[in-house]
Amino acid sequence: DADVTQTPRNRITKTGKRIMLECSQTKGHDRMYWYRQDPGLGLRLIYYSFDVKDINKGEISDGYSVSRQAQAKFSLSLESAIPNQTALYFCATSDATTNYGYTFGSGTRLTVV
Amino acid sequence: GQQLNQSPQSMFIQEGEDVSMNCTSSSIFNTWLWYKQDPGEGPVLLIALYKAGELTSNGRLTAQFGITRKDSFLNISASIPSDVGIYFCAGQGGSNYKLTFGKGTLLTVNP
């Protein structure tokens, strides 16, 4: 099984619908992140959480919300999806006490029509 | 905030050629990391560098942590078709270990 699992892998949804992307990890890491990837724009940070009671906005949090349900689970919600939220979304985790970088999930490809 | 300038944005090369890409920053980083993203997958860590001046190899990949701590490069020797993908640099600075990513280099290898 993957260390960081994202569900669903692909999703097509309609404008205005609420959608949730889920992430779970078996790394035992304290920190979790949500990124969005668009062609030519790299990875942009949406939200991050350093522990269960900690939630922080990233550089592009408007239109998104998150929930850290447990150390191992971090979900991203789009309350009312719009077409320009069509993108590839990645969850990542890291350890609080080391500088070994992040472990990424395989991504969720979201299309808003 | 901190920003990384990664270049080139894309490269088209023939199989067997060597490849070089780099990242520069206006800020100092304590750690430099290089990731590769295969099509349809998440980024995977290739090399991590922890000391200024450090030169590290991983098979055909070689990366260096610049002396000024504001830059890093990645070289790939004798490229093969499976080297295709997006390569990201990332810098880690400060006490919270949060990463700053470059925008990526898209590598295409023609067989």
Side-chain angles (χ1 to χ4, degrees), chain A residues 29-84:
Chain A
H29 287 165
D30 293 317
R31 299 179 172 190
M32 298 186 75
Y33 310 82
W34 274 104
Y35 282 89
R36 168 178 172 159
Q37 185 178 29
D38 299 277
L41 295 179
L43 296 163
R44 293 186 291 168
L45 183 62
I46 306 173
Y47 271 95
Y48 62 101
S49 168
F50 279 179
D51 64 44
V52 175
K53 295 180 182 177
D54 176 75
I55 300 288
N56 303 281
K57 291 184 177 181
E59 56 185 297
I60 54 161
S61 59
D62 287 349
Y64 302 95
S65 62
V66 291
S67 174
R68 186 81 185 265
Q69 300 95 325
Q71 188 204 33
K73 294 184 183 298
F74 192 36
S75 59
L76 175 72
S77 292
L78 287 67
E79 297 301 326
S80 180
I82 56 177
N84 78 357

Side-chain angles (χ1 to χ4, degrees), chain B residues 64-79:
Chain B
Q64 184 156 31
F65 190 146
I67 288 289
T68 64
R69 294 166 63 193
K70 292 182 178 181
D71 63 316
S72 177
F73 73 74
L74 174 71
N75 286 343
I76 305 173
S77 62
S79 59

Side-chain angles (χ1 to χ4, degrees), chain B residues 52-95:
Chain B
E54 180 181 354
L55 185 71
T56 296
S57 293
N58 178 5
R60 294 178 295 105
L61 276 59
T62 303
Q64 184 156 31
F65 190 146
I67 288 289
T68 64
R69 294 166 63 193
K70 292 182 178 181
D71 63 316
S72 177
F73 73 74
L74 174 71
N75 286 343
I76 305 173
S77 62
S79 59
I80 58 178
S82 62
D83 289 334
V84 162
I86 303 176
Y87 291 79
F88 291 100
C89 63
Q92 198 165 36
S95 58

Side-chain angles (χ1 to χ4, degrees), chain B residues 12-33:
Chain B
F12 297 84
I13 62 169
Q14 292 296 124
E15 183 176 357
E17 289 182 356
D18 297 344
V19 170
S20 185
M21 57 193 80
N22 69 83
C23 271
T24 60
S25 170
S26 57
S27 304
I28 288 174
F29 288 108
N30 298 321
T31 302
W32 281 93
L33 305 118

Side-chain angles (χ1 to χ4, degrees), chain A residues 86-99:
Chain A
T86 294
L88 194 51
Y89 290 85
F90 288 103
C91 174
T93 72
S94 69
D95 182 61
T97 58
T98 67
N99 55 353

Side-chain angles (χ1 to χ4, degrees), chain A residues 9 31 35 37 42-43 45 48 90 96-102 104-106, chain B residues 31 33 35 37 40-43 45 50 86 88 92 96-99 101 103:
Chain A
R9 284 299 308 270
R31 299 179 172 190
Y35 282 89
Q37 185 178 29
L43 296 163
L45 183 62
Y48 62 101
F90 288 103
T97 58
T98 67
N99 55 353
Y100 297 152
Y102 296 175
F104 284 86
S106 296
Chain B
T31 302
L33 305 118
Y35 287 83
Q37 182 183 18
E41 296 296 328
L45 183 65
Y50 299 108
I86 303 176
F88 291 100
Q92 198 165 36
N96 65 14
Y97 297 131
K98 201 153 142 283
L99 291 183
F101 285 91
K103 287 186 168 31

